[in-house]
């Protein structure tokens, strides 16, 4: 008799999630071309997710990446990416949590279960592995982007306690010639760990943590040198950090009920100074950031099996914000810095939720519940109902439907942004809300072939806008300095179709074909416009093959081709740009223009040599192998007097050697 476990890779491990989710198998996803050992880049192969080279922002179905939430061990954490929020709010360069530590995790692209509040576009709920409690394992990796050290083993073989940690250090020194000019001198490091303490009577305790530190910047050219763009005159120094540490406890009341509790402290900070070279060849302060957040989390969840057909999950989440915000900028080159916000204080986000999944019969299951959220800063309370159902038409065909309301905090600094007169802040700004509907079909062609079709409609409301303008927070990318009074009357809508054909790893072959057609729009003054994320179409083709060489060795190759529809953009005001010597855009009519589509190619090669208690891995992973020139910004060219569509071809190779023993 052979007994094999059946793992439905098309669904998350959360029993409350009947639609809008999938499990990320980290071992398989690490073989994806374009993944670059980054969980955020791994999921960009999925339908409805845009991908790029410059940053790893997760843009789900045409929605801003700042509406996406990150979880580690059940706790929401700040943006966990290196160089976070610099080019795009919600994105960064590389996720700080190494794939060495991640267990199978859950990815949601909408209509999340009720336990997930403070998220609109999606959630990435990453789980850490338990360390090996039988023997010690070590990994050491040296590559072009730096070094990576991981270790796990038993703390006590008697109790089964274990540890697991990973440390990465990178200077990017060996890749300086391939990086853009402003990235010279960039370096980062991160550390993550988990300690696991099981017990017979008191349940399971675990202590986990993740932290990162980044430095980036550039040196300004002299005014006497050949200066092509105003950005060449900028002198910048940026330091960033993020950290989270928590204690988790799982206590089993009996065989049908368990309590899962978390206490965690998170922190993030940005300290940056930008100076600009004046016509007198002197450096003048232009922008200054000094932002610090500390968040305290206390949360608990009761999971109950009320009957064989009825499971319930109920709990609360308390989050205490502590913030220190100091943002200043010069309105004109050489002028004194103007204070946009200067606040210190605290606020609270309180959530209570309950969710049940009921198996009506062997073919039909229904999941329903609600999340009640209260934010003390603007004294707003939001009720978010969630409902989904799943119907098995046959052993091979499954239908799913989901509806629900979701909301998300805007970055706190905008609540304290003063208007152009320096008097008013925006503490009464509402949270944006999204009413979501999606319906899908899964067709299981075989055990390793899966076809999935989904269509969806998201309606956003209470979005912050600037009256009598075409500005909406839906399009906010990385503009920190907005000195206006906001009104929460904006709207948005996203709708489209996702199609995925996937072959799971079998006999050394895997593949994924995902296509999406969608629209992303926002409304101002009763008129609908394309949003900045309305690329209309995305396609990914991922192919991979693994060959066994002899009894112990293997060679694998994968490649990924991605096509992303043209990004919308504003018209350029050539006359005003020439008179102000800076790129000026015509915003009144919205994003009426569109760039050509982007075609990206990535590939990955791995050669593994297995010996007794020793494994060697030689890898070459390349992002943007065909050197596509990705759009960065419109820049006024001081030499030609024209506005350039500034692009750079960033090719990121990582040749690495890893030894495991």
């Amino acid at each position: 008799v052979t007994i094999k476990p059946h793992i439905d890779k098309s669904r998350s491990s959360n029993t409350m999630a009947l639609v809008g989710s999938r499990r990320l198998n980290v071992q398989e996803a690490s073989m994806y071309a374009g993944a670059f050992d980054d969980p955020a880049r791994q999921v960009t192969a999925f339908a409805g997710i845009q991908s790029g080279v410059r940053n790893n922002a997760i843009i789900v179905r045409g929605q801003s990446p700042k509406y996406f939430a990150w979880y580690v061990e059940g706790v929401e954490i700040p943006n966990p990416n290196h160089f976070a929020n610099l080019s795009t709010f919600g994105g960064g360069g590389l996720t700080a949590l190494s794939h060495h530590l991640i267990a199978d995790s859950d990815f949601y692209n909408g209509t999340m279960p009720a336990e997930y509040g403070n998220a609109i576009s999606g959630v990435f709920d990453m789980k850490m592995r338990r360390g090996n409690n039988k023997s010690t394992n070590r990994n050491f990796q040296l590559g072009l982007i730096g070094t990576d050290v991981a270790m796990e083993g038993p703390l006590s073989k008697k109790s089964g306690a274990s540890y697991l940690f990973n440390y990465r250090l990178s200077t990017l020194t060996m890749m300086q010639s391939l990086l853009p000019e402003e990235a010279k001198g960039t370096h980062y490091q991160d550390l993550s760990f988990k300690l696991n303490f099981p017990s017979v009577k008191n349940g399971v305790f675990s202590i986990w943590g993740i932290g990162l530190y980044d430095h980036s910047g550039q040196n300004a050219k002299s005014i006497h040198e050949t200066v092509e763009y105003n950005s060449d005159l900028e002198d910048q120094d940026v330091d960033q950090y993020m950290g989270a540490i928590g204690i988790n406890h799982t206590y089993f009341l009996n065989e049908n009920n368990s309590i899962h509790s978390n206490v965690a402290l998170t922190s993030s900070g940005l300290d940056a100074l930008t100076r600009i070279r004046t016509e007198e060849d002197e450096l003048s302060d232009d922008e200054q950031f000094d932002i610090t957040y500390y968040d305290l989390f206390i949360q608990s969840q009761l999971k109950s099996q009320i009957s064989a057909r009825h499971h319930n999950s109920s709990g609360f989440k308390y989050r205490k914000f502590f913030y220190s915000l100091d943002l200043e900028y010069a309105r004109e080159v050489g002028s004194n810095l103007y204070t946009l916000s200067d606040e210190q204080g605290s606020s609270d986000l309180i959530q209570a939720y309950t969710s049940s999944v009921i198996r009506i019969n062997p073919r039909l299951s229904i999941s329903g519940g609600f999340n009640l959220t209260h934010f003390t800063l603007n004294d707003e309370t939001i009720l978010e109902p969630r409902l989904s159902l799943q119907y098995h038409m046959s052993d091979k065909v499954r239908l799913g439907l989901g509806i629900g309301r979701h909301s998300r905090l805007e970055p706190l600094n905008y609540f304290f942004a003063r208007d152009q007169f320096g008097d008013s802040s925006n503490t009464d700004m509402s949270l944006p809300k999204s009413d979501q509907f999606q319906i899908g079909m899964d067709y299981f062609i075989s055990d390793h072939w899966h076809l999935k079709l989904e269509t969806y409609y998201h309606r956003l409301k209470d979005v912050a806008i600037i009256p009598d303008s075409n500005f909406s927070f839906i399009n906010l990318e990385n503009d920190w300095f907005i000195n206006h009074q906001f009104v929460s009357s904006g709207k948005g809508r996203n709708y489209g179709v996702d199609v995925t054909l996937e072959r799971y790893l079998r006999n050394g072959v895997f593949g994924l074909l995902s296509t999406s057609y969608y629209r992303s729009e926002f409304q101002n003054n009763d008129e609908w416009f394309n949003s900045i994320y309305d690329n209309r179409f995305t396609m990914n083709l991922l192919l991979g093959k693994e060959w066994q060489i002899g009894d112990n060795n293997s060679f694998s190759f994968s490649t990924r081709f991605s096509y992303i529809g043209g990004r919308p953009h504003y018209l350029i005001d050539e006359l005003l740009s020439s008179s102000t010597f800076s790129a000026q855009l015509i915003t009144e009519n919205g994003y009426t223009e569109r760039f050509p589509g982007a075609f990206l190619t990535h590939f990955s090669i791995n050669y593994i040599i297995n010996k007794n208690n020793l494994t060697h891995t030689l890898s070459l992973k390349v992002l943007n192998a065909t050197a596509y020139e990705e759009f960065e910004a419109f820049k006024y060219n001081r030499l030609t007097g024209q506005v350039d569509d500034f692009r750079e071809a960033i090719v990121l190779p990582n040749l690495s050697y890893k030894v495991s023993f």
Side-chain angles (χ1 to χ4, degrees):
V1 177
T2 302
I3 299 175
K4 295 182 179 180
H6 174 70
I7 299 175
D8 186 352
K9 298 179 182 180
S10 67
R11 293 180 55 179
S12 72
S13 59
N14 191 330
T15 57
M16 301 295 161
L18 300 183
V19 297
S21 65
R22 67 162 291 159
R23 183 193 307 261
L24 179 71
N25 185 295
V26 177
Q27 236 182 356
E28 291 186 16
S30 64
M31 300 171 65
Y32 290 1
F36 223 63
D37 296 334
D38 181 0
R41 294 185 186 271
Q42 288 171 351
V43 301
T44 59
F46 300 158
I49 314 298
Q50 290 184 36
S51 61
V53 178
R54 180 173 293 274
N55 68 72
N56 66 353
I58 299 179
I59 302 172
V60 182
R61 293 173 169 175
Q63 300 194 80
S64 171
K66 66 185 174 68
Y67 291 150
F68 190 84
W70 295 83
Y71 279 68
V72 169
E73 290 293 290
V75 175
E76 185 182 352
I77 63 171
N79 186 338
N81 291 304
H82 291 286
F83 316 110
N85 305 322
L86 293 183
S87 61
T88 301
F89 292 135
L94 181 74
T95 307
L97 192 60
S98 169
H99 73 286
H100 285 139
L101 274 76
I102 302 176
D104 286 0
S105 301
D106 296 334
F107 181 81
Y108 302 87
N109 62 4
T111 58
M112 287 79 72
E115 67 184 84
Y116 296 107
N118 196 33
I120 287 180
S121 65
V123 170
F124 199 171
D125 192 352
M126 295 185 289
K127 309 291 195 305
M128 288 188 180
R129 294 190 298 109
R130 291 191 295 269
N132 191 328
N133 60 6
K134 302 296 183 182
S135 61
T136 300
N137 302 110
R138 307 168 187 86
N139 290 279
F140 176 77
Q141 179 172 300
L142 178 64
L144 291 179
I145 65 173
T147 59
D148 190 322
V149 179
M151 189 171 177
E152 61 181 298
L155 290 171
S156 169
K157 292 185 178 181
K158 181 178 179 181
S159 67
S162 63
Y163 70 91
L164 172 69
F165 82 89
N166 188 94
Y167 174 73
R168 295 189 297 188
L169 172 66
S170 178
T171 61
L172 301 177
T173 304
M174 301 176 71
M175 297 176 60
Q176 293 298 309
S177 62
L178 300 172
L179 296 174
E181 188 69 26
E182 65 270 16
K184 303 299 173 63
T186 297
H187 58 82
Y188 66 84
Q189 56 184 314
D190 59 58
L191 172 70
S192 46
F193 69 89
K194 182 177 181 180
L195 310 177
N196 195 63
F197 303 94
S199 66
V200 177
K201 295 183 178 180
N202 299 317
V204 180
F205 290 88
S206 62
I207 303 173
W208 57 272
I210 175 176
L212 67 85
Y213 171 76
D214 306 327
H215 175 79
S216 58
Q218 70 177 65
N219 295 322
K221 288 184 177 181
S222 169
I223 197 70
H224 303 300
E225 299 179 68
T226 301
V227 177
E228 192 172 10
Y229 302 110
N230 291 331
S231 58
D232 297 334
L233 298 173
E234 292 180 353
D235 186 277
Q236 194 172 57
D237 195 44
V238 182
D239 291 296
Q240 294 176 266
Y241 67 87
M242 189 283 295
I245 187 169
I247 301 175
N248 293 3
H249 179 226
T250 299
Y251 184 74
F252 300 94
L253 298 172
N254 51 51
E255 62 181 7
N256 295 325
N257 299 276
S258 59
I259 298 176
H260 304 258
S261 302
N262 312 76
V263 177
L265 178 67
T266 70
S267 178
S268 61
L270 172 62
D271 186 4
L273 175 63
T274 300
R275 298 183 296 173
I276 193 165
R277 186 82 65 180
T278 65
E279 295 298 326
E280 291 76 29
D281 205 23
E282 297 178 349
L283 288 174
S284 175
D285 290 352
D286 189 54
E287 294 177 351
Q288 181 172 319
F289 300 80
D290 190 359
I291 301 174
T292 303
Y293 292 107
Y294 290 98
D295 294 351
L296 172 65
F297 289 84
I298 301 174
Q299 56 192 53
S300 188
Q301 180 184 50
L302 173 63
K303 292 185 177 182
S304 302
Q305 182 176 329
I306 298 173
S307 70
R309 294 187 176 186
H310 182 191
H311 293 245
N312 179 269
S313 176
S314 300
F316 74 91
K317 297 181 180 181
Y318 173 73
R319 180 178 181 180
K320 184 76 172 181
F321 298 91
F322 298 93
Y323 45 80
S324 176
L325 308 171
D326 183 11
L327 287 87
E328 302 174 75
Y329 73 102
R331 294 180 174 180
E332 296 179 357
V333 176
S335 66
N336 294 329
L337 293 179
Y338 165 79
T339 300
L340 179 69
S341 62
D342 184 11
E343 296 288 337
Q344 292 184 349
S346 63
S347 301
D348 305 290
L349 184 69
I350 305 166
Q351 301 176 57
Y353 62 88
T354 185
S355 182
S356 285
V357 59
I358 302 173
R359 188 183 181 196
I360 304 298
N361 57 50
R363 292 187 178 274
L364 178 64
S365 298
I366 296 178
S367 176
F370 66 86
N371 183 297
L372 185 66
T373 297
H374 180 73
F375 185 42
T376 59
L377 182 61
N378 62 1
D379 198 29
E380 183 176 14
T381 302
I382 306 169
L383 178 64
E384 302 177 2
R386 316 278 175 86
L387 177 67
S388 59
L389 62 87
Q390 187 179 92
Y391 178 69
H392 291 260
M393 295 182 64
S394 68
D395 293 340
K396 292 184 175 293
V397 180
R398 185 175 70 198
L399 301 179
L401 180 146
I403 57 176
R405 170 167 290 185
H406 302 74
S407 63
R408 173 76 168 166
L409 281 173
E410 296 287 3
L412 276 184
N413 54 285
Y414 294 108
F415 285 89
F416 300 105
R418 300 172 183 173
D419 63 17
Q420 57 268 44
F421 305 107
D423 299 325
S424 304
S425 62
N426 291 278
T427 53
D428 60 346
M429 185 170 64
S430 297
L431 275 65
K433 304 165 189 68
S434 175
D435 294 325
Q436 302 185 4
F437 170 85
Q438 75 177 46
I439 185 170
M441 182 194 76
D442 293 272
Y443 177 41
F444 299 93
I445 303 169
S446 67
D447 289 342
H448 54 282
W449 281 98
H450 173 220
L451 176 66
K452 186 178 185 68
L453 293 88
E454 281 187 310
T455 184
Y456 57 89
Y457 181 86
H458 299 170
R459 182 183 64 183
L460 286 82
K461 65 177 184 178
D462 296 343
V463 178
I465 62 171
I466 297 176
D468 303 320
S469 77
N470 205 27
F471 175 87
S472 171
F473 266 57
I474 285 176
N475 303 308
L476 190 62
E477 286 194 291
N478 62 348
D479 191 350
W480 295 84
F481 300 98
I482 307 175
N483 58 341
H484 283 276
Q485 188 73 24
F486 307 127
V487 177
S488 299
S489 61
K491 297 180 180 179
R493 63 189 181 194
N494 301 75
Y495 52 93
V497 178
D498 294 339
V499 181
T500 302
L501 176 63
E502 185 169 8
R503 177 192 165 94
Y504 303 123
L505 180 62
R506 182 182 175 89
N507 298 327
V509 179
F510 63 92
L512 178 87
L513 173 64
S514 63
T515 60
S516 304
Y517 177 78
Y518 59 93
R519 296 298 308 274
S520 175
E521 301 172 325
F522 71 100
Q523 186 187 60
N524 267 10
N525 302 318
D526 298 323
E527 186 176 356
W528 288 97
F529 302 93
N530 300 326
S531 86
I532 198 170
Y533 300 106
D534 184 46
N535 293 68
R536 302 282 179 94
F537 182 78
T538 63
M539 183 277 292
N540 289 284
L541 175 61
L542 173 70
L543 300 171
K545 170 64 176 172
E546 184 179 39
W547 293 270
Q548 290 299 125
I549 302 175
D551 295 331
N552 300 316
N553 305 334
S554 66
F555 175 82
S556 64
F557 173 82
S558 70
T559 185
R560 175 176 155 195
F561 306 99
S562 299
Y563 177 80
I564 306 170
R567 169 190 166 117
H569 67 86
Y570 291 125
L571 274 172
I572 300 169
D573 191 327
E574 298 284 359
L575 184 61
L576 186 59
S577 299
S578 298
S579 61
T580 60
F581 306 105
S582 63
Q584 301 294 329
L585 306 176
I586 302 173
T587 63
E588 289 79 7
N589 300 321
Y591 299 97
T592 56
E593 304 301 303
R594 191 175 294 274
F595 291 121
F599 185 77
L600 304 173
T601 304
H602 320 293
F603 72 84
S604 175
I605 300 172
N606 295 284
Y607 181 58
I608 301 175
I609 303 172
N610 290 304
K611 296 183 178 296
N612 291 334
N613 301 318
L614 185 66
T615 300
H616 305 273
T617 304
L618 185 64
S619 299
L620 175 61
K621 301 176 181 181
V622 180
L623 286 179
N624 194 23
T626 49
Y628 170 75
E629 294 184 341
E630 194 171 37
F631 172 77
E632 180 182 341
F634 286 114
K635 294 186 178 184
Y636 179 79
N637 192 313
R638 296 163 62 98
L639 303 180
T640 65
Q642 303 293 321
V643 175
D644 289 347
D645 166 8
F646 185 76
R647 296 172 175 269
E648 283 187 308
I650 301 177
V651 180
L652 294 177
N654 185 26
L655 178 64
S656 64
Y657 165 73
K658 182 174 74 173
V659 58
S660 305
F661 56 97

